[in-house]
Amino acid sequence: MSALLAALVSYLIGSVSFAVVVSKVMGLADPHTYGSGNPGATNILRTGNKLAAMLTLLGDAAKGWVAVMLARMFAPPGEDVSLLVALSAVAVFLGHLFPVFHRFAGGKGVATALGILLAIAPVLGLATLGAWLIVAVFFRYSSLAALISAVFAPFYDALLFGWEPDNRSVVLVIAAMSLLLIWRHRANLRKLAAGQESKIGQKSKPAEPDA
C-alpha cells in the first residue's frame, strides 16, 4: 500500500459519519440540528437513545482502528511502517473532522482518536481512555474529559515508546491530532469558562452555533 493510497483510503473511511448513518437507520433527527450540532456520540446521547449513542461511539472508534490496522497489515516490504501508520492516522482523523460524504461537516474526533490510539498500541489507547473516564466521572463534562485526554495522549506515547526515530512520526501525529481536537472544542472551552457547558446525558435542545 503506497503512502498516497493509504492516505486516500483512510480519509474515505474517516468520512463515514456514524452519527448521521445511525440516526438515519434508527429514525432519529439529524445530529446537526440539536444540542451542540456535533455529529458525535455525546450529542446523540442527548436524544435519550443510549443504543444509538453506543453504536455511534463504536462505529467512529472502529473506523480509526481499521484505517491504522489496514496501513500496518498491507505495508509493502521495505516501507517505513511507522510513517505509513502516522499518515493513515492523520488522514482518517481529518476524514472524520471534514467528511467528504457529509459536506465536510464532521465531528470533533474523540472516538476516532481513541480507535487510532488503540490500533497504534492498546496500552496507549487504554491509558488515554483512563484519563477520559476519570475526568468524565468526576466532572460530568465530556468536552473537558476530551481536552485533558488530548493533552496527555502525546506524552503517554512518548513515555511508553520513547522519542526514537521509529516512533517520532507517531508522536508528532498524535500531537497534531490533539491540537486539532482542542481546536474543534474551542466553543466548548468558552462554555466551560462561562459555566454554560452541557453535562453528559443532558437532554437535547436546538443546535447552537459552534464557532
Side-chain angles (χ1 to χ4, degrees), residues 72-83:
R72 180 173 287 154
M73 290 169 60
F74 294 102
E79 188 84 28
D80 185 342
V81 178
S82 63
L83 182 60

Side-chain angles (χ1 to χ4, degrees), residues 145-198:
L147 290 164
I148 291 177
S149 300
V151 170
F152 276 97
F155 292 103
Y156 283 154
D157 186 76
L159 181 65
L160 289 167
F161 305 109
W163 185 246
E164 303 302 324
D166 60 346
N167 189 55
R168 200 166 296 166
S169 59
V170 175
V171 176
L172 291 174
V173 161
I174 293 173
M177 285 169 33
S178 295
L179 290 173
L180 280 169
L181 193 148
I182 292 169
W183 175 72
R184 293 289 281 186
H185 281 80
R186 61 196 184 281
N188 303 89
L189 279 168
R190 290 194 291 268
K191 290 177 183 177
L192 283 166
Q196 299 172 347
E197 179 70 325
S198 299

Side-chain angles (χ1 to χ4, degrees), residues 71-151:
R72 180 173 287 154
M73 290 169 60
F74 294 102
E79 188 84 28
D80 185 342
V81 178
S82 63
L83 182 60
L84 203 59
V85 164
L87 183 61
S88 295
V90 74
V92 71
F93 190 72
L94 288 173
H96 179 78
L97 267 55
F98 309 105
V100 68
F101 302 134
H102 304 284
R103 299 181 180 180
F104 303 102
K108 295 178 180 176
V110 178
T112 302
L114 174 60
I116 291 168
L117 296 179
L118 286 169
I120 291 172
V123 65
L124 172 62
L126 291 174
T128 307
L129 176 61
W132 188 96
L133 287 172
I134 290 170
V135 177
V137 167
F138 280 96
F139 296 98
R140 304 294 296 171
Y141 290 113
S142 176
S143 56
L144 180 62
L147 290 164
I148 291 177
S149 300
V151 170

